Amino acid sequence: KRWAIAWHLFWEGAKCVADRVQFVLFQDDEKWFYSLVVRQHNKLVPFFCCVPDSHSVHHKCHIGKVMCLVTTAFAPHNNNFESGGRAYKVDCVRIGGMVKAKKNSYRRVYRNDGTYHYPKDPVNMLRREGEEYFENWEIQGVSEGTAKNPKFSLLKYKRERLRMKLDALKQQITHETGKIVVLYGQTDNAPPHQAQKLKDFQNATWLFRHQPPNSPLTNVQDASVFPAMAKRVTEFQGLFNHGRYLEGEKLWEGIDTVYNEFPEETLARGYV
């Protein structure tokens, strides 16, 4: 209730200075995108010995997945959400980083009896020692982890990357409207977002508030962007990978393509 009252008072006040100040709401959130089998082209026709393939994994951790941090923004006309506005795609970044392989690794190969081994065959090589590859990292508010166990720091990301992208957006809107632009940020209450140093940086850089607890509908990413992107990633798999699993870089390629092609008009409807 307190959050709703504060939200209403802020944007009602913003209407009073709409002739010279443009407020821009930006929101960020994280999401896991999983590999899925959309459809198999196989038909069940026993007469022709045609049966569907059976796909399984040993554990849910074996399912390919990529975590992304997405930031979007919305500039309401005359600072009034009821009048519509323009949406902007600010950034979509993959959570993780490049690391070097410590040793040669090989793909798992199954025997006829169901057991498996890792034959050290060059054809079966998965990764060569010293070769760089992308590794998913745990997301943290401030900590960057250690050299052995690196973490994705939200503070570092927002200080070194997001701030520059938002500054560029601010300059763009100022050029288009001739108004002073004020950025108003919002994020959820996940533990990484509660780090005090991160909060201090956000409050010192932008107008910033956290959304109410257990209220994903107040965040456009959770309410509309992520469900729509997930469906489009599934569509991407079906169209370009014949419904088969997308793993690692291919899955990220699909997510990045979907994000870049996501219509800003659709994004804007999510804000209003």
Side-chain angles (χ1 to χ4, degrees):
K1 181 178 178 180
R2 292 174 58 187
W3 180 90
I5 293 173
W7 171 275
H8 177 75
L9 291 176
F10 177 86
W11 287 104
E12 284 298 316
K15 296 176 186 178
C16 300
V17 294
D19 58 329
R20 59 183 184 278
V21 180
Q22 174 65 63
F23 284 90
V24 178
L25 173 66
F26 71 92
Q27 298 180 336
D28 62 62
D29 203 0
E30 312 88 28
K31 176 178 172 57
W32 281 109
F33 287 88
Y34 290 86
S35 296
L36 297 173
V37 173
V38 184
R39 179 180 299 171
Q40 294 293 331
H41 297 290
N42 299 331
K43 304 296 182 182
L44 180 59
V45 187
F47 181 80
F48 295 108
C49 300
C50 182
V51 295
D53 287 336
S54 176
H55 297 273
S56 62
V57 293
H58 294 278
H59 189 269
K60 63 181 180 180
C61 292
H62 289 264
I63 299 175
K65 59 182 180 179
V66 171
M67 177 179 275
C68 299
L69 174 61
V70 175
T71 305
T72 60
F74 183 74
H77 294 315
N78 297 320
N79 297 332
N80 185 357
F81 280 83
E82 295 179 355
S83 300
R86 180 178 176 184
Y88 301 88
K89 293 178 289 187
V90 180
D91 196 20
C92 177
V93 63
R94 185 177 177 184
I95 303 298
M98 301 300 294
V99 296
K100 289 185 177 181
K102 298 178 181 179
K103 61 180 181 179
N104 294 340
S105 58
Y106 301 86
R107 293 181 178 85
R108 177 182 293 181
V109 176
Y110 286 87
R111 302 186 180 95
N112 293 332
D113 60 359
T115 61
Y116 58 86
H117 62 142
Y118 299 89
K120 295 184 178 181
D121 187 339
V123 179
N124 193 49
M125 181 171 286
L126 179 65
R127 198 171 289 122
R128 191 180 302 276
E129 181 180 0
E131 183 180 63
E132 286 194 339
Y133 68 98
F134 194 93
E135 181 181 65
N136 291 329
W137 293 348
E138 179 184 350
I139 190 168
Q140 293 286 320
V142 177
S143 173
E144 298 180 35
T146 62
K148 185 177 181 180
N149 186 24
K151 309 286 186 183
F152 184 90
S153 170
L154 281 173
L155 177 60
K156 180 180 179 181
Y157 162 73
K158 293 191 175 185
R159 179 184 289 158
E160 298 181 1
R161 175 164 172 159
L162 183 60
R163 178 166 58 178
M164 290 188 295
K165 287 186 173 289
L166 288 172
D167 285 346
L169 175 63
K170 188 175 178 179
Q171 293 176 6
Q172 175 187 340
I173 297 175
T174 298
H175 177 74
E176 293 172 349
T177 64
K179 298 180 181 180
I180 300 171
V181 176
V182 178
L183 298 174
Y184 181 94
Q186 178 184 309
T187 191
D188 61 19
N189 293 283
H193 297 282
Q194 296 298 322
Q196 190 58 48
K197 289 185 179 179
L198 176 61
K199 286 184 175 181
D200 293 342
F201 170 77
Q202 292 171 156
N203 293 331
T205 309
W206 311 293
L207 291 176
F208 208 90
R209 293 198 66 192
H210 285 74
Q211 66 194 47
N214 304 315
S215 303
L217 291 180
T218 61
N219 191 305
V220 171
Q221 268 64 261
D222 280 331
S224 62
V225 176
F226 287 152
M229 284 185 64
K231 290 181 180 179
R232 291 168 187 258
V233 170
T234 299
E235 178 184 345
F236 180 88
Q237 291 187 101
L239 290 175
F240 299 101
N241 211 44
H242 304 292
R244 302 286 181 173
Y245 281 115
L246 286 175
E247 297 286 352
E249 298 304 319
K250 288 186 177 181
L251 179 57
W252 165 242
E253 179 186 345
I255 297 168
D256 191 49
T257 300
V258 166
Y259 172 79
N260 290 326
E261 296 179 354
F262 196 84
E264 291 186 345
E265 295 79 9
T266 303
L267 178 59
R269 287 196 294 270
Y271 274 94
V272 296

